[in-house]
Amino acid sequence: MEITEGVRFDTLGLSEEILRALEKKGYEMSTPVQAGSIPPMMAWKDLTAKAPTGTGKTFAFGIPIVEHIDPQDSSVQAVILAPTRELAMQITTEMREISQYKEGIRLVCLYGGQPIGKQIETLKKKPQIVIATPGRLSDHLKRRTVRLDKVQTVVLDEADRMLDMGFIHDVTRLLDQMKNRRNLGLFSATISREVMDIAWVYQRDAEEITVRADEQNKPDIRQYSLEVPMNEKLDAVEKILNAEQYDRVMIFCNTKGNTERVSHLLQMRGVDAQCIHGDIPQVKREKVMAQFRRGELRVFVATDVAARGIDVDDVDAVINYDVPEENEYYVHRIGRTGRAKRHGVAYTLVSDYPGMIRLQNIAKFTKNEVTPVRFDESGHLVEDKKK
């Protein structure tokens, strides 16, 4: 079933506490994915939801989960699995917002890179909701520091990415441990073969909803391509920053090495820049992301995997320093800007013929219009009419 419109939250039969939390956020109308997901999940039905990134998926599954929790029961009642620690942390923040007026509800976020002892202490406080990466939750299960036999609801967020990243065995082992669950929600930007396999084995009579990236929920993003030689890419980035006076910019690179190099060279040019990638210690990654969220950092350089789950509403621009290797990566990258009904802008730097072909394929696949631009004599970007 395709869902194209939201509904008023006060028509969904939600508790006063949840409506109060939504009112505090200034939300009266749901997004389409929330309108399509909340009723079946409230009715304990299995659900497969295909929806673009940035359409409000956390509240779509988070609201029914919080409504179903019995605060008197200290066992784990719901598990939300996410592919990366950043996304797990972001989901936890939003789940706290949803449950802030519900007394006696406890959450824990479990991910690798954080001392396991600290997590074990938190688990001793008997949380009813566990948000976790599959690998770390599997570790806790092996150590018997968490029990999942009373879990009623399981959600796989960004299921396609999670299974792409090789977590399929962890995920299936975890699902096998939660035999008493009443419903399973799969939330995914694409329904891959692996997602379909999980649905086939673990869901029963699932509701299926699709939310298209239509004009209403498709971000308003102007997209540009800029042809520059490899050795002039950094100059191009600096020119874009200077000409447009952006306050908050994300730069994406395909490799860890490039993120380090780009952020270091920008720092040498006096630009306030930091990077994150998989090899940077978790404490530093969290510190850098917090700075960026608070608006204390102008330029944030990241790889695709490291940047997942960074939910910042007002990124002025995204710069693809490298043409992304996957079509889906492009969608996720540019989706960092143009959020919350704001205008966004994305630039892709192209330095060779294969990159140009790949960007053309991306534009075709994503049905996006990418306009070629060049620098004029004054250093401002203008449309390149020759292209």
Side-chain angles (χ1 to χ4, degrees), residues 85-86 89 109 111-115 118-119 275-276 280-294 300:
R85 61 192 92 182
E86 287 79 20
M89 288 159 62
C109 186
Y111 52 82
Q114 188 188 45
K118 190 176 169 186
Q119 293 176 357
C275 74
I276 65 163
I280 285 178
Q282 180 62 18
V283 173
K284 188 181 176 192
R285 288 166 71 167
E286 286 175 24
K287 188 179 170 189
V288 171
M289 283 190 288
Q291 279 182 303
F292 191 64
R293 279 198 194 97
R294 291 194 299 264
F300 183 67

Side-chain angles (χ1 to χ4, degrees), residues 36 70 89 107 118 151-152 235 266 270 272 313 321 357 384:
D70 176 1
M89 288 159 62
L107 301 89
K118 190 176 169 186
V151 170
Q152 299 192 69
D235 295 333
L266 285 172
D272 184 19
D313 274 346
Y321 192 86
I357 297 299
D384 193 346

Side-chain angles (χ1 to χ4, degrees), residues 2-7 29-39 51 55-56 60 209-212 214 216-217 341:
E2 190 168 322
I3 311 287
T4 56
E5 292 181 357
V7 296
M29 291 291 292
S30 76
T31 64
V33 73
Q34 292 159 2
S37 303
I38 291 171
T55 50
I209 65 160
T210 299
V211 177
R212 291 194 188 282
D214 62 17
Q216 200 175 11
N217 60 50
K341 304 286 185 222

Side-chain angles (χ1 to χ4, degrees), residues 48 159-161 163-164 168 172 186 188-202:
T48 299
D160 51 349
R161 185 68 53 209
L163 303 177
D164 278 355
I168 191 154
T172 53
L186 300 177
S188 200
T190 58
I191 305 298
S192 63
R193 176 77 253 170
E194 291 82 2
V195 174
M196 287 168 70
D197 288 344
I198 293 281
W200 176 256
V201 175
Y202 292 97

